[in-house]
Every structure is written in C-alpha cells, then in structure tokens.
Amino acid sequence: MPFCPQCGYEYRPEIKICPDCNERLVAALAPDPNQVELFETFELCKIPDEVTGMALQSMLLEAGVDANLRDMRTSFYANVLSSMQGYWGTIIVAKQDEDLAKQVHRDFKKQFEGR
C-alpha cells in the first residue's frame, strides 16, 4: 500500500497522488526521528550485590557501552525480598555492544575480582 510522505496517510494501490496534500505517494515512509529505536539486548552477567553492579555499570558507561543494571529483588507488602535466584541483579547491554561489553567485563574481573 502506498503512503503520502507529507501526511503519512495510507492509500489503496491504485491511488498515486494524495488528494489532501497533492504529493506523489511512496511505497514506504521514512522513519520518524522522534520515535524511539528498539534494539536487541543481552544479559552480560549476573551481579552478586549492588556495589559490584554499580562499579561494573560505571566502567561500561565510561567505555561507551549503555549498560542497564537490573535489580532482581522484589517488593512484597512494603518489604523488599531478596532474589530467590541467588544473585542480586544483572547487567543488560545492547547486542551491538556485546564484544566491547565482554572485554570491559573481563577487565573488571581482573581488576576487582582477581580473576
């Protein structure tokens, strides 16, 4: 179905010009620059505690990797319960930054965990 590049309205295939804007219709619209782009993510690692998570997240951010620290604790009747998985949280990064994130994680482990 063709679209008007001006108003974005979709028309039947036999229509070639937008009757409202008088613009030639196109096969697809250009992406909206105001729309948030979705991207694939992956879990870099599990975090044993909040301080470790914040330290690794900081190193990733300094390296240019947009890292999200996901707290796995749950709230239950105004109390915070620890995660049943045995870890505090996870670090989530964009799939496109996977190689750099893994390198920063290796450097972090060498520097702070002695591994």
Side-chain angles (χ1 to χ4, degrees):
M1 299 285 244
F3 298 88
C4 174
Q6 182 69 30
C7 67
Y9 193 79
E10 183 178 10
Y11 289 93
R12 294 187 316 268
E14 62 271 9
I15 307 295
K16 304 296 180 204
I17 297 193
C18 178
D20 296 323
C21 304
N22 204 27
E23 291 282 333
R24 181 166 291 282
L25 303 182
V26 295
L29 294 174
D32 182 353
N34 297 319
Q35 189 174 19
V36 175
E37 184 177 331
L38 299 177
F39 54 91
E40 189 177 351
T41 61
F42 82 102
E43 181 182 299
L44 177 63
C45 62
K46 295 181 182 354
I47 303 297
D49 57 68
E50 187 174 9
V51 173
T52 302
M54 291 175 70
L56 177 54
Q57 181 184 33
S58 177
M59 281 185 70
L60 288 161
L61 293 172
E62 286 178 19
V65 176
D66 187 16
N68 293 298
L69 182 57
R70 182 181 297 166
D71 179 346
M72 300 302 287
R73 297 178 299 172
T74 58
S75 178
F76 183 72
Y77 292 111
N79 293 319
V80 176
L81 303 175
S82 296
S83 168
M84 301 302 273
Q85 290 97 351
Y87 54 92
W88 181 86
T90 59
I91 293 279
I92 307 295
V93 300
K95 185 77 170 154
Q96 67 189 28
D97 294 330
E98 182 174 5
D99 294 336
L100 179 56
K102 286 181 177 180
Q103 181 58 52
V104 171
H105 185 230
R106 283 191 292 272
D107 294 345
F108 176 83
K109 286 170 46 173
K110 286 179 191 172
Q111 185 175 354
F112 292 101
E113 298 176 1
R115 296 182 198 172

